[in-house]
Amino acid sequence: MALFLETNNLTKTFGGVAAIFKLSFAMGQGTVFSVIGPNGAGKTTLFNLLSGIYRPSSGQIHFRGQDLVGLSPHEISHIGISRTFQTPQIFFNMSVLENCLVGCHRHGVTGFVAAALHLPRAVSEAKRMREMAMENLAFCGLDHLADRDSDALPYGELKRLELARALSTQPRLLLMDEPAAGLNDSETKEMGALISRLCETGVSVMLVEHNMALVMAISHRLLVLNHGEYLAEGSPEQIQSNPKVIEAYLGSGDESDG
Ligand SMILES: Nc1ncnc2c1ncn2[C@@H]1O[C@H](COP(=O)(O)OP(=O)(O)O)[C@@H](O)[C@H]1O
Ligand SMILES: [Mg+2]
């Protein structure tokens, strides 16, 4: 059986400087897999490579046996990789529900004309998408706010809307960039529980997050990057006791939760 996600000698350089250098790792399906490392380690660059925003300078990425290199972000979203952004990518002039429907429409097969003419297929599809969006909102605890203006949401709920929005493309793999950034302790715990539940429903999660307590609590495996290179991989226990990791990162004193 093909591996879920795998990179091989993945490299991305900017003006001769490698942000990711000869990185090889594999992520298993059904896991919360975290990528950690000091600022500038290459975490965001890795997400941009996996989601097709950047094209690798060299190396390979395979997702469920399929080569991702050269595919557009749209194509990558279509084969099942979605992402959340550290700063929620919300349309503030739309309602909470409409924000989720924006993502759903990628999965629609019926055209605009059919929808405008209220052809039966378009109507049932619109209904199906609305139901799916409502399910995702309910999963994120936001269904009671579906008709609210998005700009009226407090930050903690915006972060959960960002998750609901990303789920509307029905991803198999969700890349989450700092889901707990800006959240208080109880909101952070809620977000952690949400990510664990999401994984239980069959969505694999790759996580970049600075809150080490959260990362260690919910991750099955961790990959540690340092200056764009592979430093270590293992369970939370293995990573926390790995001398190389402690020296490069956890012991550096620049993490509030380290
Ligand atoms: N678009 C870009 N142009 C030039 N350099 C970049 C670009 N994106 C990232 N880098 C560089 O690549 C390195 C890794 O950055 P990044 O992936 O943002 O790290 P992290 O997310 O782990 O903090 C840094 O040295 C950064 O300056
Ligand atoms: Mg970053």
Side-chain angles (χ1 to χ4, degrees):
M1 205 184 79
L3 284 169
F4 185 63
L5 179 75
E6 187 184 16
T7 72
N8 184 20
N9 281 322
L10 187 64
T11 298
K12 178 65 185 177
T13 58
F14 294 104
V17 179
I20 290 287
F21 188 66
K22 295 199 168 180
L23 178 65
S24 302
F25 73 93
M27 172 187 172
Q29 183 166 10
T31 60
V32 175
F33 183 97
S34 290
V35 182
I36 66 171
N39 276 333
K43 305 178 294 291
T44 299
T45 301
L46 177 61
F47 270 18
N48 285 331
L49 288 165
L50 296 175
S51 54
I53 291 172
Y54 294 157
R55 194 190 169 102
S57 305
S58 60
Q60 290 91 40
I61 307 169
H62 285 92
F63 178 60
R64 303 173 79 242
Q66 185 169 354
D67 187 357
L68 293 191
V69 174
L71 297 187
S72 69
H74 180 79
E75 289 166 323
I76 288 175
S77 150
H78 213 80
I79 63 172
I81 301 179
S82 180
R83 99 186 252 187
T84 67
F85 291 84
Q86 179 174 349
T87 307
Q89 304 291 295
I90 301 303
F91 295 102
F92 286 112
N93 56 339
M94 293 185 186
S95 75
V96 167
L97 176 63
E98 283 164 348
N99 265 284
C100 290
L101 287 170
V102 171
C104 279
H105 284 151
R106 270 185 234 179
H107 275 266
V109 291
T110 315
F112 171 79
V113 173
L117 294 173
H118 292 266
L119 296 183
R121 185 161 171 220
V123 171
S124 67
E125 196 164 86
K127 187 165 171 270
R128 183 176 61 85
M129 284 175 182
R130 205 187 145 86
E131 283 166 3
M132 200 162 59
M134 283 305 291
E135 272 173 34
N136 289 330
L137 284 175
F139 182 83
C140 297
L142 296 172
D143 47 335
H144 62 294
L145 301 173
D147 296 325
R148 287 281 175 86
D149 288 338
S150 301
D151 60 5
L153 292 191
Y155 195 69
E157 287 172 344
L158 269 186
K159 292 288 272 191
R160 282 187 279 132
L161 177 55
E162 172 70 357
L163 174 56
R165 183 195 60 71
L167 292 179
S168 60
T169 61
Q170 296 181 285
R172 295 172 191 275
L173 169 62
L174 182 63
L175 312 175
M176 300 190 81
D177 200 353
E178 306 244 357
L183 299 185
N184 66 31
D185 281 354
S186 74
E187 289 168 336
T188 298
K189 283 209 178 71
E190 249 174 72
M191 182 58 79
L194 204 49
I195 294 168
S196 294
R197 269 195 283 135
L198 183 62
C199 187
E200 284 161 21
T201 69
V203 180
S204 306
V205 177
M206 187 180 285
L207 180 67
V208 166
E209 173 54 54
H210 276 107
N211 184 324
M212 279 304 123
L214 176 66
V215 166
M216 294 301 172
I218 68 173
S219 304
H220 299 101
R221 304 284 295 175
L222 290 98
L223 169 69
V224 189
L225 299 181
N226 196 26
H227 303 296
E229 295 188 58
Y230 177 105
L231 186 73
E233 201 210 317
S235 68
E237 296 71 29
Q238 288 168 333
I239 293 302
Q240 281 169 306
S241 60
N242 183 318
K244 278 196 291 188
V245 177
I246 293 167
E247 188 188 333
Y249 185 53
L250 295 172
S252 67
D254 66 0
E255 294 301 323
S256 52
D257 289 288

